[in-house]
Amino acid sequence: MICGALLAAAALSLPAQQAAAAPHDPPSQPLVQLLTQLQTLYLQTEQATEAFNKAKEAATKQQATATLLDKQLADQRVAVAEARDQIGMLARRQYQDGGVSPYLNLLVADEPQDLFSQKHLLQRAAGSEAELLEQLKGGEARIAVLNAGAQAALGQAQLLQTQQGAAKAQVEEHLKRVETIIAGLTGVQLDELQKLEEQGINQAQTDFLDSKALGTGSRTPSEEGNRAVGYAFLQLGKPYIWGAEGPGSYDCSGLTSQAWLHAGKAIPRTSQEQWAQLPKVPMSLLRPGDLVVYFPGATHVAIYIGDGLVIQAPRPGAYVKVSPIAANPILGAVRPDSAQGPMKNYVPPALPKADAATPIDGGGSDRGNNVG
């Protein structure tokens, strides 16, 4: 990949009259290279963003596991203490009655391992003594298991938090590279980049629709899918912020996961996990509410709304918007509600015009506001 700094220098050297060439003139090679570089950096930013989201989600789950195990460990220690109290009471009664059985000598032993080394006594014990011995033996063993599990979960959470920090730093690095390139461009050059990108998207959309990949006719969403699309419509115009999942801003998978959560179905947080875990659906059977996944690494996702359009949170510096379905290279589609049939009495919404152009921007001062 050509170094970003070299391409930035190439962009700065573009003559003003060349950047302002008439629309029918072919774009200059430096301009094409610059657009390719910017698109690559945006893609790398989104890849790093999804890695951050995945590490953050996993760390949160591991921390919750550690907290739960700690509570169970505390409860188990209380139960063992209560069992020892009962043993003490039984020992005192037997002493008052004229002696202590060898089983109780074992029960009140200071070292828990004494319990496990005297299995033959347990086998010969009877009645309440045997029950107490079994409870204490099982309780001590469970304490050891819970303690080991809590320590492992906490260690894993700390490791994932470290990975989360590394992913966060990688996002910031890619965004800084984008900002550095864009800061050196004139307004004319930015306009030309926008036009060049829009031309590419429009051509990709035309080719995709001409291929009849979407099949024929329109399809009806499920009740849940309709609610997910409705939620996505309400988010139009809100800014993209990496790592965000609403309500004021979103990244790509933050939007799709929240749309389906508000529709009544929890789905994975990241685009990669949405692609990996949700049922695949052929593009020819796509219906509103399905998720369209992009790029070979499944690093971008949008929600299909019908008529070859999607709602997406595109990239830093942009906003949630309606886009052509072919605005990015399509990997495939998944259906969160694959078990649900189409809803009855569906009335398609009035779909706004798709906006092919996405602002070319470095992310601005809001970068990372919604992530920790």
Side-chain angles (χ1 to χ4, degrees):
M1 184 176 63
I2 300 176
C3 174
L6 292 177
L7 281 177
L12 292 172
S13 66
L14 284 174
Q17 64 269 26
Q18 184 183 46
H24 61 271
D25 291 340
S28 66
Q29 190 61 28
L31 196 65
V32 173
Q33 289 179 332
L34 180 57
L35 179 59
T36 300
Q37 175 69 0
L38 284 172
Q39 290 173 333
T40 299
L41 287 172
Y42 279 129
L43 175 58
Q44 291 172 345
T45 299
E46 193 148 50
Q47 291 170 340
T49 298
E50 291 301 283
F52 170 87
N53 291 337
K54 185 175 182 179
K56 181 181 179 182
E57 183 181 36
T60 300
K61 289 180 179 178
Q62 285 296 327
Q63 187 61 58
T65 298
T67 300
L68 176 62
L69 289 173
D70 279 342
K71 182 180 183 306
Q72 293 176 347
L73 181 59
D75 292 343
Q76 189 61 52
R77 283 174 172 155
V78 169
V80 167
E82 291 175 349
R84 286 194 175 277
D85 288 343
Q86 294 178 33
I87 290 168
M89 291 176 57
L90 185 57
R92 286 192 295 273
R93 288 176 185 172
Q94 289 203 8
Y95 180 79
Q96 291 169 357
D97 291 341
V100 178
S101 76
Y103 312 121
L104 284 177
N105 281 330
L106 181 61
L107 287 169
V108 296
D110 291 333
E111 298 297 331
Q113 55 264 34
D114 291 346
L115 297 175
F116 309 119
S117 64
Q118 301 291 338
K119 292 183 179 179
H120 64 285
L121 289 179
L122 176 60
Q123 293 169 353
R124 294 171 54 191
S128 60
E129 295 177 10
E131 292 176 4
L132 285 171
L133 181 59
E134 187 64 34
Q135 289 175 15
L136 192 56
K137 174 186 173 184
E140 294 284 3
R142 182 161 173 74
I143 283 177
V145 171
L146 289 171
N147 187 56
Q151 292 299 319
L154 185 59
Q156 183 67 13
Q158 291 171 344
L159 174 62
L160 290 168
Q161 285 169 353
T162 300
Q163 294 175 351
Q164 176 183 331
K168 183 175 186 290
Q170 191 177 22
V171 175
E172 291 173 336
E173 178 186 351
H174 288 309
L175 285 178
K176 285 179 181 177
R177 291 176 66 191
V178 173
E179 290 168 354
T180 298
I181 294 175
I182 291 174
L185 301 180
T186 67
V188 172
Q189 289 171 332
L190 284 173
D191 287 344
E192 286 299 309
L193 285 174
Q194 293 281 172
K195 291 176 183 177
L196 184 58
E197 183 174 50
E198 184 172 357
Q199 291 169 6
I201 291 174
N202 288 337
Q203 186 60 55
Q205 181 75 354
T206 298
D207 293 343
F208 181 78
L209 295 179
D210 287 347
S211 73
K212 306 300 181 183
L214 291 177
T216 57
S218 59
R219 281 167 289 279
T220 300
S222 68
E223 293 280 358
E224 289 179 338
N226 192 46
R227 289 196 295 270
V229 169
Y231 180 87
F233 267 103
L234 292 176
Q235 312 318 307
L236 290 173
K238 294 184 178 180
Y240 177 108
I241 293 181
W242 69 269
E245 48 188 325
S249 57
Y250 298 88
D251 62 20
C252 69
S253 57
L255 175 64
T256 55
S257 60
Q258 285 298 308
W260 272 98
L261 183 62
H262 283 78
K265 185 175 182 63
I267 65 173
R269 167 65 175 89
T270 68
S271 58
Q272 290 100 331
E273 292 303 307
Q274 289 171 10
W275 173 249
Q277 296 184 28
L278 298 177
K280 306 291 192 297
V281 59
M283 299 300 294
S284 60
L285 298 180
L286 207 61
R287 71 185 186 187
D290 291 343
L291 304 183
V292 183
V293 183
Y294 297 93
F295 301 106
T299 51
H300 187 69
V301 64
I303 185 166
Y304 187 64
I305 60 174
D307 280 359
L309 303 176
V310 296
I311 292 178
Q312 63 163 334
R315 65 192 183 199
Y319 45 83
V320 177
K321 65 173 191 172
V322 176
S323 298
I325 191 174
N328 296 294
I330 297 172
L331 175 62
V334 293
R335 178 169 293 169
D337 58 340
S338 59
Q340 304 298 318
M343 65 182 294
K344 297 179 180 178
N345 304 318
Y346 172 66
V347 178
L351 299 180
K353 184 179 182 295
D355 182 6
T358 296
I360 294 178
D361 186 89
S365 60
D366 288 333
R367 183 178 68 239
N369 282 357
N370 287 33
V371 295

